[in-house]
Amino acid sequence: MEPMQYCRRKVAPDGSSLYYALLFAPAEARDGLTALAAYRAEVLEIPREVSDSGVGAVKLNWWQEELERLAAESPRHPVTQAMLPTLQHHQLDMDGLSEVIEASRMDLEYGRYPTLRELTLYCHRAGGAIADLAWRIGGSEGMDAAPFAHDLSMGLELTRMLRHLRRDVRAGRLYIPEDELTMSGLSSEDLLAADRNDDVRALLGRQGDRARRFLDSAISQLPDNARPQQTYGLILAVLHRQLLESIGSDGYAVTDRQVHLTPLRKLWLAWRTARRPHKVHPRPEPSST
């Protein structure tokens, strides 16, 4: 299998959010964006794939060595082989790729985050460097899209955490700040308990609101002159914001079932966003009156 084909199968199967974001991304940026997403997926999946933290640590050390081989232009893995041409063409700094490895290491060693500060660090490591490289690949001039990349990565990570809450809690990982859980009078076991649904959904609603604020902040900070080149990130923001709306409409029942957007809905939202990127605006805050 060719390296790029491997990456596409890994992260962008037909009907996925990434598939539609890449479909409308600038053609010259698609391969690089696909490879970046595949790298993130490969590394962050390690804590979910291994039952022994020692084995996971060995795998992460291998990836750190692979980044050194990538820097020396001799990568071995299909993902890093696919990344190399884009990194060379754009002369991108690869230091941030190590942050994804550190995020995965946090999951192996802890899997829980005492406060929002620690969870924010995890989100930054898991997605921040990838989002930063992605906007640079997209072709924006200067630093005008950097705030967009930061808030986008936070919003995407928090949305994914909310959507996959049931899977992660069952695996012993928790992506809700533990102090917020305690203040709600809940334990991690309560998150899956049917008799605590009202309390759980109130807590999850606050997590959803936080993710939504980051996505809306990302959209508001993306300058008009950068939007045509940043359709990939903008589409991801729109799709994840719509996913949050669907989760909210379903009563934040993510511990009972996983909410999906239909492929047709994703296609419509992605096409509309790509056709009129300047028309995408944050949702207004609900009135307090």
Side-chain angles (χ1 to χ4, degrees):
M1 188 184 301
E2 291 295 318
M4 192 51 61
Q5 184 183 14
Y6 177 93
C7 292
R8 292 192 189 101
R9 290 189 178 184
K10 181 75 179 179
V11 295
D14 291 356
S16 66
S17 293
L18 268 171
Y19 174 84
Y20 292 112
L22 290 164
L23 181 65
F24 294 100
E28 65 277 10
R30 286 174 195 156
D31 284 355
L33 294 170
T34 305
L36 276 179
Y39 168 76
R40 176 190 172 279
E42 287 282 351
V43 175
L44 291 183
E45 282 176 358
I46 290 173
R48 295 197 293 271
E49 294 174 340
V50 301
S51 57
D52 187 318
S53 60
V55 174
V58 170
K59 288 177 174 287
L60 292 178
N61 289 340
W62 186 93
W63 274 105
Q64 193 64 61
E65 293 168 358
E66 179 68 355
L67 291 185
E68 295 173 6
R69 290 188 287 268
L70 176 61
E73 301 182 1
S74 57
R76 298 179 186 174
H77 196 280
V79 165
T80 40
Q81 290 172 356
M83 289 169 64
L84 181 58
T86 295
L87 296 174
Q88 289 175 324
H89 176 73
H90 292 278
Q91 298 183 331
L92 296 174
D93 185 348
M94 290 184 283
D95 290 346
L97 295 174
S98 294
E99 291 293 311
V100 185
I101 296 175
E102 292 308 309
S104 197
R105 204 179 304 279
M106 289 174 74
D107 262 347
L108 277 176
E109 295 178 358
Y110 309 111
R112 289 171 179 263
Y113 302 89
T115 70
L116 181 60
R117 180 178 180 179
E118 289 82 10
L119 184 63
T120 297
L121 175 60
Y122 173 84
C123 291
H124 171 74
R125 288 176 167 175
I130 299 299
D132 183 70
L133 290 171
W135 81 255
R136 295 175 190 276
I137 291 171
S140 291
E141 298 291 335
M143 297 297 293
D144 54 358
F148 164 74
H150 173 271
D151 285 358
L152 174 65
S153 67
M154 287 294 300
L156 296 181
E157 293 300 325
L158 292 171
T159 302
R160 291 165 182 151
M161 290 169 179
L162 182 60
R163 186 187 187 203
H164 296 295
L165 177 73
R166 181 176 183 174
R167 177 199 70 187
D168 293 332
V169 170
R170 285 181 167 178
R173 291 185 298 274
L174 180 64
Y175 298 105
I176 294 174
E178 288 187 298
D179 61 344
E180 296 183 18
L181 191 70
T182 300
M183 286 188 290
S184 297
L186 297 166
S187 67
S188 57
E189 292 76 16
D190 290 330
L191 294 175
L192 303 182
D195 62 344
R196 300 301 300 273
N197 275 349
D198 290 344
D199 296 329
V200 169
R201 290 178 184 180
L203 173 66
L204 299 187
R206 292 191 288 275
Q207 309 308 307
D209 288 343
R210 178 180 291 141
R212 189 179 298 107
R213 286 194 297 270
F214 272 111
L215 292 174
D216 283 350
S217 177
I219 291 168
S220 68
Q221 292 188 76
L222 186 60
D224 283 350
N225 63 355
R227 291 191 172 211
Q229 291 77 35
Q230 297 298 320
T231 51
Y232 169 79
L234 196 57
I235 288 170
L236 286 179
V238 169
L239 292 179
H240 281 70
R241 192 172 63 179
Q242 185 59 54
L243 180 61
L244 285 171
E245 293 296 320
S246 296
I247 290 173
S249 297
D250 194 42
Y252 289 97
V254 291
T255 58
D256 300 325
R257 52 190 167 271
Q258 192 173 90
V259 174
H260 300 271
L261 300 180
T262 66
L264 184 60
R265 180 64 173 161
K266 292 177 185 177
L267 175 60
W268 162 247
L269 291 169
W271 175 82
R272 187 179 64 180
T273 301
R275 183 170 178 264
R276 299 191 299 176
H278 302 92
K279 299 292 186 180
V280 179
H281 301 292
R283 294 189 185 276
E285 291 291 332
S287 173
S288 59
T289 59

